[in-house]
Amino acid sequence: MSAPFIFIATNRLKEGALAAEEERVPGLCDFIEASEPRVIAFNEYVNQDGTEVGVVQVHPDADSFEFHMGIVRERAERAYAETLDATTSIQVY
């Protein structure tokens, strides 16, 4: 078995958007769990100041990540319109 594909992104939140982000993410996680059986883990963490979120995704391979990006495209576009200001870093392992 090959090593998992791990994607970590840090996103700056829009001013005052933490509560909306906290409301948005559970539905996103439910959607991913129901739609993407290959995803090993999908977690979001808020920094201490409540100004950034870190998203950690673990996939069995790059194909799983590519599928994920296609299936969540519209939800990601809405997130950037509503709660996320910018992606400030990306790490891939």
Side-chain angles (χ1 to χ4, degrees):
M1 181 177 186
S2 62
F5 182 93
I6 302 170
F7 176 87
I8 303 170
T10 302
N11 302 308
R12 185 174 49 243
L13 291 170
K14 292 183 180 200
E15 182 89 23
L18 178 59
E21 179 70 359
E22 290 175 334
E23 289 179 24
R24 180 186 75 81
V25 171
L28 173 62
C29 291
D30 290 344
F31 173 78
I32 290 169
E33 186 175 337
S35 304
E36 301 183 63
R38 296 187 67 218
V39 172
I40 297 168
F42 183 93
N43 297 288
E44 182 172 285
Y45 304 93
V46 179
N47 73 347
Q48 190 170 14
D49 298 333
T51 57
E52 290 184 330
V53 293
V55 178
V56 179
Q57 301 179 37
V58 182
H59 297 265
D61 51 40
D63 289 342
S64 173
F65 177 74
E66 186 175 343
F67 179 78
H68 165 79
M69 294 305 288
I71 203 165
V72 299
R73 182 181 56 81
E74 290 178 12
R75 287 173 177 264
E77 289 171 355
R78 272 186 305 209
Y80 279 96
E82 298 170 5
T83 60
L84 302 179
D85 184 40
T87 299
T88 58
S89 73
I90 293 175
Q91 301 171 55
V92 177
Y93 300 96

